[in-house]
Amino acid sequence: MDTAKGRWAPESSPSPPRARTSCCPSLKIFLMALSFAYFAKALSGSYMKSTITQLERRFDIPSYLIGVIDGSFEIGNLLVIAFVSYFGAKLHRPKIISTGCLLMSLGTFLIAMPHFIIGRYKFQTSVRPAMNTSSYLSGYCPASTPEPIQTGSSPSVVPSVGCERESSLSMWVYVLLGNVLRGIGETPVQPLGISYIDDYAHAENTALYIGCVQTIAIIGPVFGYLLGSLCAKIYVDVGFVDMDTITITPSDARWVGAWWLGYLIAGVITLASAVPFWFLPRALPPPQDQHNDDSPLEQASFLKDAPTIKHKYMPDELANFHDMAKEFLPTLKSLLGNPVYLTYLCVTIIQFNSLIGMVTYKPKYIEQHYGQSASKANFLMGIINIPAVALGMFLGGVIMKKFKFGILAAAKFAFGTSLLGYFLSLFFFAMGCENAKVAGVTLSYSGEDVLSYNERFLFTNCNSACMCSGKDWDPVCGADGITYVSPCLAGCTASNGSGKETVFEHCKCIGTAGPGAQTGNLTAILGHCPHRSSCDSIFPYFLGLSVITSFIISLGGTPGYVLLIRCIKPQLKSLALGLYTLSTRTLAGIPAPIYFGAIIDTTCLKWGQKRCGGRGACRIYNTSAYRIVYLGLTLGLRTVSFFLCILGFVLLRRHVRREEQQAALTNGGAETECLRKEENHTLHCEQLLRTLDCNPDRETRL
């Protein structure tokens, strides 16, 4: 009966099959929920980067201050990441992730709030919407110092009151606070989500699952940049102003799109991502390769410590908070005492400085260097560049699964792809464009190529009697193909038409450049002159090389990430991921946009002016200097990281060798123990047989 019962238990007990069937659906649901959360946070994060130029112009702030706003997301992470990663691993991980998604949603809504309280956007222009007939006006080349006209408003009776009100409202602070709240909410998603998958997935599937999550996370920026492209085409106050009175176009440096609309959409999507996690369990049954009920007790015990699953970590029951806090510092010390992890952290921090700075200002680089609109720059980022990164991340996970990379092979693969992408990126230096021809800024009025950072070069004999302001930015394109900073500085004394169709006439400065100077009624139209034709021919090659380098570098993303969670003890996994996120965001995510922005600001040739005085957003850059500092800083940081990689490989080889020796000793000890037990079992059977042989009467009775 006992023997029959022993045969029946592993086959007919309802408990083990239920455990096996419940694991797979719950893990798949968690995987889908985490992928959606990654998608939502990536969408809102990429949309933030797509609105950089819109925020600069709307709040009249320089690039370094935009870097502070962008880095505030990482400040939010800094406040709570270490504690969430450590304590969250011992608590209900799915519910903590759900709470984080809710906070991200609230922060996204807060970012959009200034639009509804700041009032209508006003930009400087010389065009009067009511002017619809030919006329000679002193407004363009006046006899006294001109006062710029603000669109969408009548002349202010007491301008100082409006200035006091505007100067006291730093609305960009609300954007910064909302981004901090987004950073706090995003904190638990990565460390707790990835560690949850790694704990309950089969060992051979972990890399593929992480690759899928990272791939969907990359798809988020595709929609984020496309959303940014759509909103950049829509005027910021659409629905509240008569669009016929708006005389600027999306390609104008003063144009501001409907930046707030995308944040409302992103907030709703992030709010929806919080729902599924609330209904998921705190823990799942262990994966089938980690525990097998059909195995003997000795085999189950041996499998528990097998090298193939030693990265798994099953959390204990709810622990005492005081005990967890007491163990925090020793655990942190143990983690930082791992030289492989520490070197990996240093390499990643340097490379993330390069990556974050490059990605943050890439749309702006495309705008300023290749003369594209913000809408087109965001569209190209979303539809061409980001999908290449997503494909690379996914294929990196597939390659690692197919060839069963160990941590050393994964490190070599990640390093090789990064190095190849680095060498290809050097060709970007050769894909440069000359500066746009702007009289008094990049070109003298006599036709010579001159770079000017001083306002006095805007004035010359042809506009000296006009008493123009050198601080205005109201560009017009002259009939000679040169852009002039304003109709006044072009010497125009009359206009014909109204709104966007306004034509400025009798412009004394137009046609005076070079030996082929012209005279007569020379005209100008609103906006910049068309961009350089030579630059238009280079731009497709820039896009193609950008796609190739992004794909190659991203191939090493998933193997590199798996390397991170395999070089540490299982019980330190959540803390290691949290500290990794904390370090990269504190030492890369916060400072990189700030110092990249500050260095880019040094290449500005003409600054805008705020309504109440003071420097506003940059209107035109020295494109050659912009290219050198932007690409030079990006590739220079990566060069430094490659030297640290050499030290990392030395330490990693020692780590792998030590792990192999420990595994050999562990397996040898286990085999010896099994042989000893088998030998004892054989001796016991022999003794039993001898006993039966010595008692034939007992055998007859049986």
Side-chain angles (χ1 to χ4, degrees):
M1 184 65 181
D2 293 339
T3 306
K5 184 177 179 180
R7 286 193 304 269
W8 174 81
E11 297 176 5
S12 305
S13 175
S15 179
R18 186 162 58 244
R20 284 193 292 269
T21 56
S22 64
C23 173
C24 186
S26 296
L27 183 59
K28 287 182 178 179
I29 292 172
F30 181 85
L31 186 63
M32 289 188 290
L34 185 66
S35 298
F36 185 49
Y38 262 68
F39 171 83
K41 77 182 184 69
L43 184 145
S44 58
S46 59
Y47 183 76
M48 162 65 76
K49 295 189 182 299
S50 75
T51 58
I52 278 181
T53 53
Q54 312 296 317
L55 295 175
E56 276 186 24
R57 297 167 186 173
R58 184 64 185 94
F59 299 109
D60 266 325
I61 52 179
S63 295
Y64 83 88
L65 201 50
I66 279 292
V68 173
I69 293 174
D70 188 68
S72 63
F73 178 86
E74 322 301 344
I75 295 175
N77 270 262
L78 171 64
L79 296 175
V80 295
I81 184 69
F83 299 100
V84 167
S85 301
Y86 180 71
F87 296 114
K90 302 174 183 294
L91 302 173
H92 199 302
R93 285 181 279 187
K95 286 189 176 180
I96 294 176
I97 295 174
S98 179
T99 304
C101 291
L102 179 62
L103 290 176
M104 276 197 293
S105 176
L106 294 176
T108 307
F109 289 134
L110 181 60
I111 293 174
M113 190 181 71
H115 170 74
F116 301 98
I117 58 179
I118 196 175
R120 303 290 171 259
Y121 174 57
K122 301 177 178 64
F123 58 90
Q124 291 182 341
T125 180
S126 300
V127 179
R128 302 179 190 272
M131 239 177 356
N132 54 11
T133 59
S134 299
S135 60
Y136 281 81
L137 293 172
S138 60
Y140 302 125
C141 188
S144 59
T145 304
E147 293 190 7
I149 304 163
Q150 305 295 333
T151 62
S153 66
S154 58
S156 177
V157 178
V158 188
S160 60
V161 175
C163 283
E164 289 174 3
R165 180 177 178 273
E166 183 174 294
S167 62
S168 65
L169 295 174
S170 297
M171 288 296 172
W172 60 266
V173 173
Y174 290 97
V175 180
L176 184 143
L177 294 177
N179 215 26
V180 170
L181 191 57
R182 279 187 59 243
I184 293 174
E186 193 267 351
T187 303
V189 177
Q190 182 179 9
L192 300 188
I194 295 297
S195 63
Y196 194 91
I197 288 176
D198 192 56
D199 285 340
Y200 299 113
H202 294 282
E204 66 274 10
N205 291 332
T206 301
L208 181 62
Y209 288 163
I210 293 176
C212 289
V213 172
Q214 300 283 10
T215 300
I216 294 176
I218 295 297
I219 295 175
V222 174
F223 289 90
Y225 279 107
L226 291 179
L227 181 62
S229 174
L230 175 64
C231 293
K233 288 181 180 179
I234 304 171
Y235 187 65
V236 60
D237 293 321
V238 63
F240 298 96
V241 296
D242 182 5
M243 293 303 297
D244 291 334
T245 65
I246 305 302
T247 59
I248 56 176
T249 62
S251 60
D252 196 290
R254 295 164 293 172
W255 175 272
V256 176
W259 59 273
W260 53 273
L261 182 60
Y263 287 111
L264 295 181
I265 296 172
V268 171
I269 294 174
T270 308
L271 183 62
S273 70
V275 176
F277 291 104
W278 203 258
F279 302 99
L280 288 168
R282 176 179 180 267
L284 297 175
Q288 197 168 0
D289 62 347
Q290 184 176 352
H291 184 75
N292 189 348
D293 291 328
D294 295 337
S295 303
L297 182 62
E298 293 85 353
Q299 185 179 352
S301 176
F302 177 75
L303 285 174
K304 184 178 179 181
D305 298 323
T308 58
I309 56 170
K310 65 181 180 180
H311 62 276
K312 303 289 182 184
Y313 172 60
M314 299 295 108
D316 300 329
E317 294 301 320
L318 288 174
N320 181 274
F321 184 84
H322 176 72
D323 293 338
M324 289 192 295
K326 191 175 175 182
E327 296 171 359
F328 178 72
L329 288 179
T331 305
L332 182 63
K333 183 179 179 181
S334 173
L335 178 63
L336 295 178
N338 186 334
V340 176
Y341 176 78
L342 203 58
T343 306
Y344 180 92
L345 209 56
C346 293
V347 171
T348 307
I349 287 170
I350 297 174
Q351 291 201 345
F352 266 48
N353 270 273
S354 172
L355 177 65
I356 292 171
M358 183 268 293
V359 171
T360 300
Y361 293 101
K362 190 168 186 177
K364 184 172 181 176
Y365 178 76
I366 293 174
E367 290 178 52
Q368 297 295 331
H369 199 75
Y370 296 102
Q372 307 298 322
S373 66
S375 175
K376 188 174 181 180
N378 290 327
F379 177 80
L380 292 172
M381 282 286 291
I383 207 68
I384 296 178
N385 213 51
I386 303 299
V389 176
L391 181 61
M393 294 288 290
F394 178 74
L395 288 181
V398 172
I399 291 172
M400 187 169 183
K401 176 179 172 62
K402 180 177 179 60
F403 295 100
K404 304 187 186 309
F405 284 165
I407 58 174
L408 192 57
K412 290 178 179 178
F413 184 77
F415 177 77
T417 55
S418 181
L419 190 62
L420 179 58
Y422 169 81
F423 285 126
L424 289 175
S425 298
L426 294 175
F427 288 99
F428 284 127
F429 283 104
M431 298 179 179
C433 295
E434 71 275 8
N435 287 301
K437 295 181 178 180
V438 181
V441 180
T442 64
L443 192 73
S444 69
Y445 285 90
S446 60
E448 299 174 354
D449 290 330
V450 177
L451 290 176
S452 169
Y453 293 85
N454 197 312
E455 289 180 5
R456 64 186 179 87
F457 290 100
L458 294 172
F459 305 99
T460 187
N461 294 332
C462 60
N463 58 27
S464 59
C466 297
M467 298 297 292
C468 304
S469 170
K471 298 184 181 299
D472 296 341
W473 180 260
D474 187 16
V476 292
C477 178
D480 56 356
I482 296 175
T483 301
Y484 295 82
V485 172
S486 70
C488 182
L489 289 170
C492 303
T493 58
S495 70
N496 187 12
S498 63
K500 295 180 182 178
E501 304 302 323
T502 301
V503 177
F504 300 95
E505 299 175 338
H506 300 286
C507 303
K508 293 179 287 186
C509 295
I510 296 177
T512 60
Q518 305 174 26
T519 59
N521 182 17
L522 296 177
T523 61
I525 58 175
L526 290 171
H528 284 271
C529 291
H531 216 261
R532 295 83 73 193
S533 58
S534 60
C535 200
D536 292 337
S537 62
I538 293 175
F539 187 54
Y541 295 100
F542 169 82
L543 289 179
L545 185 60
S546 178
V547 169
I548 294 172
T549 54
S550 298
F551 172 75
I552 291 174
I553 293 173
S554 61
L555 276 174
T558 301
Y561 202 78
V562 173
L563 168 64
L564 169 65
I565 61 178
R566 289 291 188 269
C567 69
I568 52 175
K569 297 177 182 178
Q571 61 271 26
L572 301 178
K573 189 161 37 187
S574 289
L575 180 61
L577 289 170
L579 186 61
Y580 162 81
T581 306
L582 168 69
S583 302
T584 53
R585 289 180 171 174
T586 304
L587 302 177
I590 295 175
I594 297 174
Y595 66 75
F596 263 80
I599 293 175
I600 288 172
D601 281 341
T602 63
T603 67
C604 182
L605 293 172
K606 181 73 173 71
W607 291 93
Q609 185 183 23
K610 295 182 179 180
R611 286 185 63 200
C612 305
R615 195 173 75 174
C618 184
R619 301 306 188 189
I620 184 172
Y621 290 87
N622 178 354
T623 55
S624 299
Y626 194 147
R627 180 179 74 254
I628 292 171
V629 299
Y630 174 73
L631 296 177
L633 192 56
T634 299
L635 297 178
L637 288 169
R638 289 173 61 187
T639 303
V640 175
S641 71
F642 290 142
F643 287 104
L644 278 177
C645 285
I646 299 173
L647 173 63
F649 274 116
V650 174
L651 295 173
L652 185 59
R653 283 195 180 93
R654 292 178 182 175
H655 174 80
V656 171
R657 201 177 301 120
R658 187 164 53 248
E659 289 291 318
E660 289 175 349
Q661 291 174 353
Q662 291 178 355
L665 291 174
T666 302
N667 292 338
E671 290 175 2
T672 303
E673 184 66 22
C674 289
L675 290 173
R676 187 182 298 110
K677 289 183 178 181
E678 185 178 351
E679 183 179 352
N680 292 337
H681 180 69
T682 304
L683 291 174
H684 177 72
C685 290
E686 290 177 354
Q687 291 175 357
L688 180 61
L689 290 173
R690 283 197 296 270
T691 303
L692 291 174
D693 290 340
C694 295
N695 296 279
D697 295 337
R698 182 183 175 188
E699 185 178 354
T700 303
R701 286 194 301 270
L702 292 172

